[in-house]
Amino acid sequence: MKILIDARMYGLENAGIGRYLINLIKELKNPSTTNATSLKNLNFVILLRNKYFDELKLPGNWKKVLADLSHYSLAEQLRLPGLINREKPDLVHFPHLNIPFFWKGKFVVTVHDLTMQGQGVNATTLPLGHYYLKRVPFLLIAKKAVKESVKVIVPSNAVKGDLIDYYKIKPDKIEVINEGVSTFDEISNFQFPTSKAGQAQLISKFFTKYQIRKPYFIYVGNAYPHKNLERLIEAFKVFSGHGSGFSLKLVGKEDYFYKKLKEYVR
């Protein structure tokens, strides 16, 4: 059996889906003793973009195919079906909802959440006309992905419930596969000190550098509107007004939405 994985979003720069693909491929190419025999009887094809094509090393039953096509692009819709068909896979795994609309074949899709289905115009930096020009096709493609897949993989029962409510599909079509946890050394080249004294010294430097005082709350992630950080700040303002002594730290990439959040705080 030949399974093709669309791994164009491989890499931590692609956030959660990138990490999902890193760990999925890692486990499939280095199977545990419990599933090693069954996986070795499979052939895998993965679609990769330029950045990781040469870097990623794979076993003999794996094949890499260069597919340097941007997501949500016209090139993706026009060229991806041909790339997939040339490999003649028995099954394709799309780790995200953006499948090629006119491709016909057997596939499973992973739906991580329905955030994009519920967001409004406040979640974009695009002009209104451009926003709807991209949003309407996305909604159509996402619906096709869910409806025409042979199975839908979700990370939790909560997302399963959302899918059933939003797309009105049968529960037995959905498989809940909880996501794993990476160890610290798997996601960073940074070596955390092994001694308690070394750890205490490092933490002390970190707290001093970023002006963190105990006790504190910390949020790590992007500042997209659906994260509801304005409400968090409002709640913290009320909470701190009672003399709690807590501080609040927000950690994330300083993009348009974080800059907007800074203005809101000011």
Side-chain angles (χ1 to χ4, degrees):
M1 183 177 185
K2 183 187 286 188
I3 298 174
L4 185 144
I5 302 171
D6 180 8
R8 289 174 298 135
M9 293 184 79
Y10 184 97
L12 294 180
E13 67 272 21
N14 292 307
I17 297 174
R19 187 183 299 282
Y20 177 83
L21 279 164
I22 288 171
N23 285 293
L24 174 67
I25 292 168
K26 174 193 163 191
E27 295 299 327
L28 289 175
K29 72 186 181 76
N30 299 309
S32 65
T33 54
T34 55
N35 60 16
T37 303
S38 58
L39 286 176
K40 283 180 179 177
N41 292 329
L42 299 175
N43 291 308
F44 291 95
V45 177
I46 63 169
L47 306 182
L48 290 165
R49 299 194 67 177
N50 268 321
K51 182 174 181 179
Y52 296 101
F53 190 81
D54 293 325
E55 177 184 325
L56 191 59
K57 306 303 178 186
L58 297 168
N61 61 327
W62 287 69
K63 177 184 178 182
K64 295 184 288 187
V65 173
L66 184 62
D68 202 28
L69 307 170
S70 299
H71 282 77
Y72 310 115
S73 67
L74 186 60
E76 173 187 67
Q77 291 299 319
L78 295 177
R79 294 174 55 194
L80 196 57
L83 285 174
I84 296 172
N85 287 335
R86 277 197 290 272
E87 298 304 320
K88 297 181 173 59
D90 298 295
L91 182 70
V92 175
H93 179 193
F94 294 105
H96 186 40
L97 282 164
N98 59 317
I99 68 167
F101 190 81
F102 294 107
W103 179 75
K104 300 293 183 183
K106 190 175 182 180
F107 69 94
V108 297
V109 64
T110 299
V111 178
H112 302 272
D113 56 54
L114 295 186
T115 298
M116 292 180 71
Q117 282 82 341
Q119 70 183 17
V121 294
N122 64 334
T124 183
T125 59
L126 297 172
L128 200 58
H130 193 180
Y131 166 75
Y132 282 111
L133 194 63
K134 293 187 74 174
R135 179 161 177 77
V136 172
F138 166 77
L139 292 174
L140 290 172
I141 290 168
K143 183 177 181 180
K144 176 185 171 73
V146 171
K147 295 284 189 177
E148 296 189 11
S149 60
V150 292
K151 283 285 183 181
V152 181
I153 299 170
V154 296
S156 67
N157 282 305
V159 178
K160 180 177 180 177
D162 290 342
L163 267 178
I164 294 168
D165 291 341
Y166 191 90
Y167 288 109
K168 311 302 179 189
I169 61 173
K170 294 179 179 179
D172 58 4
K173 184 177 181 176
I174 306 169
E175 294 290 338
V176 178
I177 303 177
N178 302 129
E179 293 173 351
V181 178
S182 299
T183 59
F184 189 79
D185 59 350
E186 287 178 321
I187 60 174
S188 172
N189 292 323
F190 175 72
Q191 297 298 311
F192 197 71
T194 54
S195 70
K196 287 187 177 180
Q199 292 171 8
Q201 184 180 32
L202 179 66
I203 291 169
S204 177
K205 286 182 180 179
F206 181 83
F207 273 52
T208 301
K209 180 178 180 180
Y210 294 103
Q211 301 176 346
I212 300 173
R213 68 175 190 274
K214 293 182 179 181
Y216 65 96
F217 295 109
I218 189 166
Y219 165 82
V220 181
N222 60 52
Y224 295 157
H226 70 267
K227 298 296 185 178
N228 210 12
L229 296 182
E230 287 87 354
R231 182 58 58 87
L232 170 64
I233 291 164
E234 290 170 11
F236 182 74
K237 184 179 178 183
V238 173
F239 179 72
S240 58
H242 294 285
S244 66
F246 277 78
S247 63
L248 172 65
K249 293 294 179 182
L250 309 178
V251 182
K253 181 180 179 181
E254 192 167 355
D255 57 10
Y256 168 82
F257 293 104
Y258 253 109
K259 289 176 181 176
K260 190 175 178 182
L261 189 67
K262 281 186 174 181
E263 289 299 318
Y264 180 81
V265 171
R266 279 193 285 268

